[in-house]
Amino acid sequence: DHAEQKLKECNRKWGMIIRTTNRNHGLNVRSLCLLLKTIILTKLHYASPLWLENNLGTFKSFWNKVIMKISGATLNPNRALVEMTVQLPPLHVQLEILTVKFLCKALSDRDFVTSTLLQVDGSLYKEFFSQLLAIKKFLTYKQACKENKNEIQGALRSVNLIDFTQSDEVSHWYNNSEISKYQQKIWMEDIIRKYSFGSSSDTNAKCYEIASYILQRDKIMSTSSSLFNHSTTKKEDSHMLDYIHSNSLLFGHCRAAVNKDPSEDSCPFCHATQDTAYHQLLECHELKDNTFHLLTSELSLATQQAGTPYENYAAEIIFPNSPHIQQLFINRIQFLISQHDFIDSLPHHSEDDDLNNTKDRAV
């Protein structure tokens, strides 16, 4: 009942936020994410370590709807890829981090709450088993980082919380940088685990490669990314995400799949077959301008330094090596939007109209 009530409140408030927002108009991605975090997630996170884990399925449809609206997609994009791009971890990752932060504070106070938590850990009461496992996983991760180890050694169940409460570092359980790095680690590991047993699509394979790339780099994803800033419009944000998740009617391969018509699998600009996001962004000879040359040269340099395939450009856009690459990507998207708008503004004639016009000219 509590979860259902929370879901109703979240749906009502989210409906008010997106009331005037669609794919091309309204609040941009930065504003939507800010309002989501301050109005929706604060209500959802309240006391979440106690009740949310057993009710994550209740909010699955709601979270999918939120990600879909933020992405501005007309087709179903890869949710994990959109979450990485807009830097919104899935609910179960958010819950684990909140649980870790709460239990760290509970253990560091050294009062009756600490003693109660230690008694629960030593008892056979398994109601809070997953919460205790989460804090043990984090503490073991901290110990591995301190000893310069990449992997967590030993069974988590054998970790004794008393040993950590008696350490000299009890007042320094975590800082913002450390908790952000840990969140990124468990988030990327979850994506890799999800797609490690073979991918059913190119998008899933792309998501796996990006998560692996981010996990290998000893760097935290910047929360001040210039990809979605306050000055971009919702239309620009939607198109940027289209060219990252590649599942949009802007591209011929998607139009052909949706309409089940292979003849639609062509670029609207150069009429090349197998039109994709990669083709329009980095290949189409009819769309080569200054934004094309600047972006491709920067991408080539960045992928060479990182040792990643050039085709996996989305990894460099989401987690850039170069500070300029995201702005160059925005400039390129703005040019592509203008070209699509021009194509859409042209009058479209049917084959019968073209035949009649030919006959009239002949007469």
Side-chain angles (χ1 to χ4, degrees), residues 29 33 63-64 66-73 75-89 187 191 195 203 207 210 221 228 241-242 244-247 318:
V29 167
C33 289
W63 187 252
N64 289 339
V66 167
I67 296 300
M68 185 77 174
K69 190 66 177 182
I70 290 176
S71 70
L75 304 177
N76 287 323
N78 185 291
R79 192 186 70 186
L81 188 52
V82 175
E83 288 171 341
M84 278 194 292
T85 308
V86 300
Q87 297 182 17
L88 278 177
W187 183 8
I191 293 174
Y195 297 120
T203 308
C207 194
I210 294 173
M221 294 175 70
F228 303 106
L241 281 160
D242 285 343
I244 290 175
H245 62 67
S246 308
N247 196 23
I318 297 172

Side-chain angles (χ1 to χ4, degrees), residues 78 80-86 184-185 187-189 191-192 195 202-217 219 221 241 243-246 308-320:
N78 185 291
L81 188 52
V82 175
E83 288 171 341
M84 278 194 292
T85 308
V86 300
Q184 180 174 295
K185 179 181 183 297
W187 183 8
M188 296 305 114
E189 286 178 344
I191 293 174
I192 291 171
Y195 297 120
D202 293 339
T203 308
N204 291 348
K206 180 194 294 186
C207 194
Y208 177 87
E209 292 172 359
I210 294 173
S212 302
Y213 171 69
I214 294 175
L215 192 62
Q216 290 171 2
R217 295 184 61 185
K219 183 180 176 182
M221 294 175 70
L241 281 160
Y243 281 89
I244 290 175
H245 62 67
S246 308
T308 56
Y310 183 72
E311 291 75 13
N312 193 13
Y313 65 89
E316 286 298 329
I317 301 299
I318 297 172
F319 201 56

Side-chain angles (χ1 to χ4, degrees), residues 118-355:
L118 294 175
Q119 291 178 41
V120 171
D121 181 40
S123 67
L124 297 177
Y125 190 61
K126 301 302 180 184
E127 185 67 25
F128 298 103
F129 175 77
S130 59
Q131 288 87 342
L132 292 170
L133 200 63
I135 184 62
K136 290 179 179 181
K137 181 180 175 182
F138 173 70
L139 294 175
T140 309
Y141 160 79
K142 275 197 64 174
Q143 189 67 25
C145 291
K146 186 177 179 181
E147 298 174 359
N148 295 322
K149 296 179 180 178
N150 294 327
E151 300 293 335
I152 297 175
Q153 304 293 332
L156 294 176
R157 296 183 182 182
S158 62
V159 174
N160 190 354
L161 293 179
I162 298 179
D163 296 337
F164 287 95
T165 58
Q166 293 176 347
S167 66
D168 296 333
E169 300 179 359
V170 68
S171 59
H172 305 287
W173 287 97
Y174 67 88
N175 52 45
N176 290 334
S177 175
E178 190 173 36
I179 205 71
S180 298
K181 188 175 180 179
Y182 180 67
Q183 175 180 267
Q184 180 174 295
K185 179 181 183 297
I186 62 175
W187 183 8
M188 296 305 114
E189 286 178 344
D190 180 70
I191 293 174
I192 291 171
R193 188 163 50 248
K194 181 178 180 181
Y195 297 120
S196 60
F197 298 103
S199 57
S200 58
S201 68
D202 293 339
T203 308
N204 291 348
K206 180 194 294 186
C207 194
Y208 177 87
E209 292 172 359
I210 294 173
S212 302
Y213 171 69
I214 294 175
L215 192 62
Q216 290 171 2
R217 295 184 61 185
D218 189 20
K219 183 180 176 182
I220 303 174
M221 294 175 70
S222 174
T223 56
S224 58
S225 170
S226 60
L227 193 58
F228 303 106
N229 52 55
H230 293 293
S231 62
T232 58
T233 64
K234 186 63 172 73
K235 185 175 183 177
E236 291 172 348
D237 290 347
S238 299
H239 279 72
M240 280 191 283
L241 281 160
D242 285 343
Y243 281 89
I244 290 175
H245 62 67
S246 308
N247 196 23
S248 170
L249 293 176
L250 293 174
F251 316 122
H253 74 105
C254 290
R255 294 193 299 271
V258 170
N259 299 326
K260 297 181 179 179
D261 185 2
S263 63
E264 295 194 27
D265 184 16
S266 61
C267 175
F269 304 102
C270 68
H271 305 294
T273 57
Q274 297 181 348
D275 177 40
T276 61
Y278 177 83
H279 169 77
Q280 292 187 18
L281 191 67
L282 302 171
E283 280 186 342
C284 183
H285 62 82
E286 293 292 337
L287 297 173
K288 290 184 178 180
D289 70 330
N290 189 45
T291 64
F292 168 84
H293 296 296
L294 290 174
L295 179 61
T296 51
S297 62
E298 196 73 23
L299 268 176
S300 298
L301 181 62
T303 51
Q304 286 177 6
Q305 292 176 348
T308 56
Y310 183 72
E311 291 75 13
N312 193 13
Y313 65 89
E316 286 298 329
I317 301 299
I318 297 172
F319 201 56
N321 274 310
S322 168
H324 310 294
I325 201 164
Q326 289 185 335
Q327 186 57 52
L328 294 175
F329 178 71
I330 294 173
N331 297 340
R332 179 65 175 161
I333 294 301
Q334 290 172 344
F335 170 75
L336 291 174
I337 290 174
S338 67
Q339 299 307 300
H340 278 286
D341 289 344
F342 176 74
I343 290 290
D344 293 339
S345 67
L346 295 176
H348 297 281
H349 302 286
S350 65
E351 293 182 359
D352 293 337
D353 292 336
D354 291 338
L355 181 60

